[in-house]
Amino acid sequence: MTKRALIIVDVQNTFCEGGNLAVAGGTAVAGRIAAWLAGGAGAHYAVIVTTQDWHIQPGDHFSASPDFVGTWPVHGAAGTDDAALRPEITSAAPGATAFYKGQYSAAYSGFEGLDAPTSGTYLDPWLRERGIGAVDVVGLALDYCVRATALQAAALGYTTRVLTDLTAPVSERSAPTVLAELAVAGVEALDSGRADL
Protein backbone atom coordinates (compact mmCIF):
# COMPACT_ATOMS: atom_id res chain seq x y z
CA MET A 1 0.00 0.00 0.00
CA THR A 2 1.30 3.44 -0.93
CA LYS A 3 2.39 5.52 2.05
CA ARG A 4 0.83 8.98 2.08
CA ALA A 5 2.03 12.27 3.58
CA LEU A 6 0.03 15.34 4.51
CA ILE A 7 1.69 18.64 3.55
CA ILE A 8 0.25 21.63 5.44
CA VAL A 9 1.41 24.64 3.44
CA ASP A 10 2.15 27.99 5.09
CA VAL A 11 -0.64 28.13 7.68
CA GLN A 12 1.22 30.94 9.42
CA ASN A 13 0.20 34.08 11.25
CA THR A 14 1.41 36.16 8.30
CA PHE A 15 -1.21 34.66 5.96
CA CYS A 16 -4.11 34.77 8.41
CA GLU A 17 -6.21 37.73 9.48
CA GLY A 18 -4.02 40.20 11.37
CA GLY A 19 -0.85 39.05 9.60
CA ASN A 20 1.33 41.07 7.26
CA LEU A 21 -0.03 39.37 4.13
CA ALA A 22 -3.40 38.01 5.19
CA VAL A 23 -5.49 35.76 2.96
CA ALA A 24 -9.22 36.22 3.45
CA GLY A 25 -10.44 33.19 5.33
CA GLY A 26 -6.95 32.10 6.37
CA THR A 27 -7.82 31.77 10.04
CA ALA A 28 -10.89 29.72 9.14
CA VAL A 29 -8.70 27.40 7.07
CA ALA A 30 -6.42 26.90 10.08
CA GLY A 31 -9.45 25.99 12.16
CA ARG A 32 -10.85 23.57 9.57
CA ILE A 33 -7.52 21.77 9.21
CA ALA A 34 -7.19 21.49 12.99
CA ALA A 35 -10.74 20.17 13.40
CA TRP A 36 -10.23 17.65 10.59
CA LEU A 37 -7.01 16.39 12.17
CA ALA A 38 -8.64 16.28 15.61
CA GLY A 39 -11.39 14.15 14.09
CA GLY A 40 -8.85 11.43 13.38
CA ALA A 41 -7.65 12.19 9.85
CA GLY A 42 -4.05 12.62 10.96
CA ALA A 43 -3.77 8.98 11.99
CA HIS A 44 -4.12 7.94 8.35
CA TYR A 45 -0.88 9.62 7.24
CA ALA A 46 2.55 8.07 7.48
CA VAL A 47 3.98 11.55 8.09
CA ILE A 48 2.68 15.10 8.45
CA VAL A 49 4.84 18.06 7.47
CA THR A 50 4.34 21.80 7.61
CA THR A 51 5.94 24.45 5.44
CA GLN A 52 6.66 28.05 6.36
CA ASP A 53 7.85 31.16 4.58
CA TRP A 54 11.02 31.94 6.53
CA HIS A 55 12.42 34.98 4.78
CA ILE A 56 15.84 36.31 5.75
CA GLN A 57 16.98 38.24 2.65
CA PRO A 58 14.65 37.15 -0.16
CA GLY A 59 15.85 39.76 -2.67
CA ASP A 60 13.23 41.40 -4.84
CA HIS A 61 10.49 39.16 -3.44
CA PHE A 62 9.91 42.06 -1.01
CA SER A 63 9.08 45.50 -2.35
CA ALA A 64 8.06 48.86 -0.95
CA SER A 65 5.76 49.11 -3.98
CA PRO A 66 4.57 45.52 -4.42
CA ASP A 67 2.58 44.38 -7.42
CA PHE A 68 1.05 41.46 -5.43
CA VAL A 69 1.98 39.06 -8.24
CA GLY A 70 5.74 38.67 -8.07
CA THR A 71 6.60 41.23 -5.42
CA TRP A 72 5.05 41.49 -1.97
CA PRO A 73 5.13 43.49 1.26
CA VAL A 74 7.46 42.18 3.97
CA HIS A 75 5.96 38.98 5.38
CA GLY A 76 7.07 35.78 7.07
CA ALA A 77 10.32 37.31 8.34
CA ALA A 78 12.44 34.58 9.90
CA GLY A 79 12.14 34.31 13.66
CA THR A 80 9.19 36.67 14.03
CA ASP A 81 5.74 35.88 15.35
CA ASP A 82 4.44 36.78 11.88
CA ALA A 83 6.33 33.75 10.48
CA ALA A 84 5.13 31.34 13.18
CA LEU A 85 2.66 28.58 12.46
CA ARG A 86 -0.88 29.20 13.61
CA PRO A 87 -1.48 27.74 17.08
CA GLU A 88 -4.36 25.66 15.72
CA ILE A 89 -1.85 23.75 13.60
CA THR A 90 0.82 23.29 16.25
CA SER A 91 -1.83 21.99 18.64
CA ALA A 92 -3.49 19.64 16.14
CA ALA A 93 -0.28 18.29 14.60
CA PRO A 94 2.33 18.41 17.37
CA GLY A 95 4.52 15.77 15.76
CA ALA A 96 4.70 17.42 12.34
CA THR A 97 8.12 18.09 10.81
CA ALA A 98 8.61 21.74 9.82
CA PHE A 99 10.17 22.79 6.52
CA TYR A 100 11.41 26.36 6.03
CA LYS A 101 11.51 28.03 2.61
CA GLY A 102 12.39 31.32 0.98
CA GLN A 103 15.31 32.27 3.17
CA TYR A 104 17.21 34.03 0.37
CA SER A 105 14.79 34.04 -2.56
CA ALA A 106 11.13 33.81 -3.39
CA ALA A 107 9.93 30.27 -2.71
CA TYR A 108 6.40 29.15 -3.42
CA SER A 109 6.71 25.35 -3.45
CA GLY A 110 7.09 23.49 -0.19
CA PHE A 111 9.64 21.32 -1.99
CA GLU A 112 12.02 24.29 -1.79
CA GLY A 113 11.93 23.95 1.99
CA LEU A 114 14.57 22.54 4.33
CA ASP A 115 13.92 20.71 7.59
CA ALA A 116 16.03 23.25 9.48
CA PRO A 117 15.84 27.05 9.22
CA THR A 118 19.06 27.53 7.21
CA SER A 119 20.34 24.04 6.36
CA GLY A 120 19.20 20.45 6.31
CA THR A 121 17.32 18.15 3.97
CA TYR A 122 14.92 19.22 1.23
CA LEU A 123 11.37 17.91 1.33
CA ASP A 124 11.61 15.53 -1.64
CA PRO A 125 14.52 13.40 -0.38
CA TRP A 126 13.08 13.55 3.13
CA LEU A 127 9.79 12.05 1.90
CA ARG A 128 11.53 9.45 -0.26
CA GLU A 129 13.68 8.30 2.66
CA ARG A 130 10.40 7.49 4.42
CA GLY A 131 8.90 5.61 1.49
CA ILE A 132 6.23 8.19 0.69
CA GLY A 133 4.57 7.81 -2.70
CA ALA A 134 1.48 10.01 -2.32
CA VAL A 135 0.76 13.41 -0.82
CA ASP A 136 -2.27 15.44 0.17
CA VAL A 137 -1.76 19.21 0.10
CA VAL A 138 -3.72 21.72 2.21
CA GLY A 139 -3.10 25.25 3.48
CA LEU A 140 -2.45 28.72 2.10
CA ALA A 141 -2.87 29.96 -0.45
CA LEU A 142 -4.53 27.85 -3.14
CA ASP A 143 -3.39 30.04 -6.03
CA TYR A 144 0.22 30.45 -4.88
CA CYS A 145 2.05 28.11 -2.51
CA VAL A 146 -0.53 25.29 -2.46
CA ARG A 147 -0.60 25.38 -6.26
CA ALA A 148 3.20 25.38 -6.56
CA THR A 149 3.62 22.59 -4.01
CA ALA A 150 1.01 20.36 -5.64
CA LEU A 151 2.37 20.93 -9.15
CA GLN A 152 5.92 20.11 -8.06
CA ALA A 153 4.76 17.04 -6.15
CA ALA A 154 3.03 15.72 -9.27
CA ALA A 155 6.06 16.54 -11.44
CA LEU A 156 8.25 14.58 -9.02
CA GLY A 157 6.02 11.54 -9.39
CA TYR A 158 3.94 11.64 -6.23
CA THR A 159 0.25 10.77 -6.46
CA THR A 160 -1.06 14.19 -5.46
CA ARG A 161 -4.34 15.54 -4.15
CA VAL A 162 -5.42 19.00 -3.00
CA LEU A 163 -8.16 19.00 -0.37
CA THR A 164 -10.04 22.07 -1.51
CA ASP A 165 -12.07 22.78 1.62
CA LEU A 166 -8.83 22.96 3.61
CA THR A 167 -7.37 25.81 1.59
CA ALA A 168 -8.31 29.31 0.38
CA PRO A 169 -7.13 31.44 -2.55
CA VAL A 170 -5.77 34.96 -2.53
CA SER A 171 -8.25 35.68 -5.33
CA GLU A 172 -11.52 33.77 -5.65
CA ARG A 173 -11.48 34.59 -9.37
CA SER A 174 -8.25 32.66 -9.84
CA ALA A 175 -9.49 29.44 -8.21
CA PRO A 176 -11.16 27.85 -11.27
CA THR A 177 -8.06 28.47 -13.41
CA VAL A 178 -5.80 26.99 -10.75
CA LEU A 179 -7.98 23.91 -10.33
CA ALA A 180 -7.99 23.39 -14.11
CA GLU A 181 -4.19 23.69 -14.19
CA LEU A 182 -3.87 21.15 -11.38
CA ALA A 183 -6.15 18.72 -13.20
CA VAL A 184 -4.05 18.93 -16.36
CA ALA A 185 -0.98 18.12 -14.24
CA GLY A 186 -2.69 15.05 -12.82
CA VAL A 187 -3.50 16.53 -9.40
CA GLU A 188 -6.86 15.49 -7.99
CA ALA A 189 -8.82 18.25 -6.25
CA LEU A 190 -11.54 17.15 -3.87
CA ASP A 191 -13.25 17.91 -0.60
CA SER A 192 -11.63 16.34 2.46
CA GLY A 193 -14.89 14.56 3.22
CA ARG A 194 -14.58 12.64 -0.05
CA ALA A 195 -10.90 11.78 0.36
CA ASP A 196 -10.28 8.06 0.80
CA LEU A 197 -7.76 7.86 3.62
Side-chain angles (χ1 to χ4, degrees), residues 15-92:
F15 298 121
C16 293
E17 285 79 358
N20 286 351
L21 195 55
V23 175
T27 303
V29 166
R32 289 197 299 272
I33 293 171
W36 178 70
L37 289 172
H44 296 278
Y45 292 97
V47 295
I48 298 175
V49 304
T50 60
T51 72
Q52 289 165 259
D53 271 11
W54 199 256
H55 296 308
I56 298 172
Q57 291 289 341
D60 61 6
H61 185 57
F62 287 169
S63 173
S65 302
D67 61 16
F68 294 92
V69 177
T71 59
W72 306 89
V74 173
H75 63 277
T80 66
D81 183 64
D82 193 57
L85 291 173
R86 286 286 305 182
E88 297 94 326
I89 301 302
T90 57
S91 295

